[in-house]
Amino acid sequence: MGENNMTETLPAEFGKSLASQFQLDPSYHNLNHGSFGTYPLHIRDRLHHYQLLSETQPDIFIRYTYPKLLASSRAAIASLLNVPTDTCVFVPNATTGVNTVLRNLVFNSDGKDQIIFLDTIYGGCGKTVDYILELNQGLVSAHTIPLAYPCSDQVVIDAFLSAIKEQKAQGKRPKVAIFDVVTSQPGIRFPFEAITEICRQEGILSLIDGAQGVGMVHIDLSATDPDFFVSNCHKWLHVPRGCAVFYVPERNQHLMRSSLPTSHGFVALPEFRQKRLNELQPWDKNEWVNQFNFVGTVDNSPYLCVEDSIKWRKEVLGGEERIVRELMEMAREGGRIVAERVGGKVFDNEEGTLTRCSMVNVVLPLGVKGVYDEGWGSQVEVWEVEQEETEIVGRFIVKRLTEGFKTFIPIFLYKGVWLARLSAQVYLSLEDFEWAGEVLKEILDEVRKGEHKK
């Protein structure tokens, strides 16, 4: 199925009618779109089209055709995010974007600068902070803000403000704050707009890790106005891996001295500038944009699929508003179904703001003895396992899901109880969540019977 997809009638509803347009094994229940995403056959054809163009005339394509196609895709994603085209470039993934920001920032020699973040930070980004501290020993420190989810957005905002006040009182200077659009574990919507505003008021650079973001949550960067924003397009925007949009407003582009890695587009300061051989002439008048246009020889065909994907989502799926709304509704109802089947509950706050996205977490009736929060006891009848069994139980559940049921659902411990994170997607229906609920119930019953010990 290829080009003719674009003229098909808009499906009445998401589900099996759309599943045939994706490359997924029909027997595979892909309830974890949030980790790696996937893309439809039409976008596969577009990807192969660009790859073929690159191979038929390598020099002509890479030197002259690719820059024009890249500019078109940048314009498409910029329009979606409601920002000028020259504020958006592409990088392979969100982690690369976060690294690009942190490795370019210059820290004050007085050692008071600080990187602040929430304890829900993605592990790879957390380790990036560790490396920055190691690389800049004595120049910068880090502060983690603990959160006790499921709490209200106001509790998060208050905790963030309190941490800033506390660190400043101790003589620290919060320089940059890292926070998510939707956190990874648990997969919940974060009040990133409000936190960005606080950063602006407090003179702190805001670095939004939107690894889970564009395509699943409405994002208006002109309204939010962060200092830095990165979001994977290959998760929720139906773009091939790996592709992420990296947004830097004009006011901050001078801070991003180099792409990662440094390549032909780098312009050294006058005192360090040398005449260097550059076979690739600048493709863009904007020096910052030009840095990211060609960062070594790799297959950047996924970048070119962004415009195609946005068009496909509009013409076949009905556009971003419909996708965001219906996937949120599917996730919420799907989570309720799974929670009912297993005897758990949907992980949400009283305001219901944590589930304003396309993922949902279900508290499973399974906890670690002596570790899980007793508060769960009044909400979920928790089956306890010994602390020394934790890793065995985790491995058992994953093995049963992958080998026994040909699926994958992220299962992780939070506050001493296991949570299951499920993703809604256009090729799924509530029947898939009913199936997931039955599968998880069967596996949990096996744990209660001690099957994991065998």
Side-chain angles (χ1 to χ4, degrees):
M1 188 175 299
E3 300 296 334
N4 60 349
N5 282 23
M6 304 300 292
T7 59
E8 291 184 1
T9 304
L10 178 69
E13 58 182 302
F14 296 162
K16 291 182 179 179
S17 61
L18 275 169
S20 62
Q21 294 197 34
F22 285 79
Q23 304 170 81
L24 295 165
D25 181 339
S27 66
Y28 185 78
H29 293 261
N30 193 31
L31 292 152
N32 186 34
H33 187 97
S35 279
F36 303 114
T38 191
Y39 50 95
L41 292 163
H42 172 71
I43 300 303
R44 179 203 64 184
D45 292 346
R46 298 305 297 160
L47 175 69
H48 292 174
H49 168 72
Y50 298 125
Q51 291 172 331
L52 180 60
L53 286 178
S54 178
E55 298 311 315
T56 53
Q57 298 179 334
D59 276 279
I60 292 176
F61 179 81
I62 293 172
R63 294 173 187 273
Y64 306 110
T65 307
Y66 172 76
K68 296 176 183 177
L69 294 172
L70 182 64
S72 188
S73 254
R74 287 178 42 243
I77 193 68
S79 177
L80 182 64
L81 297 173
N82 192 30
V83 288
T85 299
D86 282 350
T87 61
C88 293
V89 294
F90 294 116
V91 291
N93 47 58
T95 304
T96 300
V98 171
N99 270 261
T100 303
V101 173
L102 294 181
R103 292 173 189 241
N104 272 288
L105 292 180
V106 178
F107 301 103
N108 197 293
S109 60
D110 63 12
K112 294 182 180 180
D113 283 344
Q114 193 174 60
I115 303 170
I116 60 174
F117 50 89
L118 293 306
D119 63 1
T120 49
I121 189 171
Y122 179 64
C125 294
K127 289 201 171 186
T128 301
V129 173
D130 296 342
Y131 175 70
I132 295 299
L133 299 186
E134 182 181 304
L135 187 66
N136 298 274
Q137 294 182 41
L139 296 181
V140 61
S141 60
H143 178 70
T144 307
I145 303 171
L147 296 175
Y149 277 115
C151 58
S152 69
D153 289 348
Q154 190 59 51
V155 169
V156 175
I157 293 168
D158 291 344
F160 190 76
L161 278 168
S162 178
I164 293 172
K165 182 178 180 180
E166 176 187 311
Q167 293 306 303
K168 287 184 175 180
Q170 294 179 11
K172 296 295 183 180
R173 183 191 306 113
K175 182 180 180 71
V176 58
I178 309 170
F179 49 94
D180 302 279
V181 172
V182 174
T183 60
S184 178
Q185 291 188 356
I188 52 179
R189 194 188 191 285
F190 189 78
F192 65 95
E193 300 98 334
I195 298 299
T196 302
E197 177 59 30
I198 292 172
C199 288
R200 183 162 39 251
Q201 294 173 0
E202 297 290 334
I204 301 170
L205 293 171
S206 52
L207 170 51
I208 300 180
D209 176 9
Q212 311 274 1
V214 63
M216 77 175 298
V217 172
H218 176 66
I219 298 171
D220 183 339
L221 292 184
S222 283
T224 306
D225 194 24
D227 290 298
F228 308 99
F229 172 87
V230 62
S231 186
N232 287 325
C233 299
H234 58 244
K235 285 184 184 281
W236 296 93
L237 203 63
H238 298 124
V239 173
R241 295 178 289 272
C243 175
V245 58
F246 180 37
Y247 162 82
V248 180
E250 186 177 351
R251 66 176 182 271
N252 291 329
Q253 290 179 3
H254 70 285
L255 298 175
M256 299 294 97
R257 293 287 301 128
S258 174
S259 59
L260 186 66
T262 302
S263 192
H264 291 293
F266 177 68
V267 179
L269 295 172
E271 60 267 34
F272 298 105
R273 200 167 298 167
Q274 300 289 329
K275 188 175 182 179
R276 305 290 185 190
L277 176 64
N278 183 3
E279 293 184 358
L280 294 171
Q281 296 304 310
W283 293 342
D284 200 285
K285 294 179 181 179
N286 184 305
E287 288 186 353
W288 178 76
V289 170
N290 197 56
Q291 283 202 70
F292 294 86
N293 278 345
F294 185 88
V295 187
T297 305
V298 292
D299 183 5
N300 286 332
S301 302
Y303 297 178
L304 308 182
C305 294
V306 172
E307 182 179 20
D308 296 309
S309 182
I310 292 172
K311 183 179 180 183
W312 182 83
R313 287 162 64 87
K314 179 180 180 180
E315 296 186 4
V316 176
L317 303 184
E320 301 302 317
E321 183 179 345
R322 180 203 181 204
I323 296 168
V324 170
R325 181 185 69 253
E326 293 199 15
L327 290 189
M328 181 184 71
E329 293 171 355
M330 182 191 295
R332 283 177 163 174
E333 180 59 16
R336 187 196 65 77
I337 289 171
V338 172
E340 183 180 87
R341 293 288 191 279
V342 301
K345 72 183 297 286
V346 172
F347 190 85
D348 204 356
N349 55 25
E350 292 182 0
E351 297 83 2
T353 59
L354 305 186
T355 55
R356 288 195 299 120
C357 62
S358 303
M359 294 196 296
V360 65
N361 307 271
V362 173
V363 180
L364 301 177
L366 185 66
V368 182
K369 188 174 184 180
V371 176
Y372 79 89
D373 189 330
E374 291 296 333
W376 295 117
S378 60
Q379 305 169 36
V380 177
E381 189 175 341
V382 179
W383 174 273
E384 297 179 335
V385 299
E386 300 294 336
Q387 293 184 33
E388 58 268 24
E389 296 179 48
T390 303
E391 290 188 13
I392 299 173
V393 169
R395 288 198 300 268
F396 174 80
I397 295 174
V398 170
K399 184 175 182 179
R400 290 290 290 124
L401 285 168
T402 56
E403 297 182 7
F405 296 96
K406 206 173 183 180
T407 190
F408 186 90
I409 299 172
I411 306 290
F412 54 93
L413 277 170
Y414 186 77
K415 295 172 67 175
V417 293
W418 270 276
L419 269 61
R421 191 193 78 188
L422 302 108
S423 300
Q425 193 43 240
V426 298
Y427 48 73
L428 297 174
S429 68
L430 293 180
E431 291 180 359
D432 293 287
F433 287 87
E434 292 171 356
W435 177 87
E438 294 299 330
V439 165
L440 287 170
K441 181 178 183 300
E442 182 175 333
I443 295 173
L444 291 173
D445 286 343
E446 291 173 353
V447 172
R448 294 188 183 98
K449 295 175 182 177
E451 294 293 324
H452 60 285
K453 298 178 183 179
K454 295 182 181 179

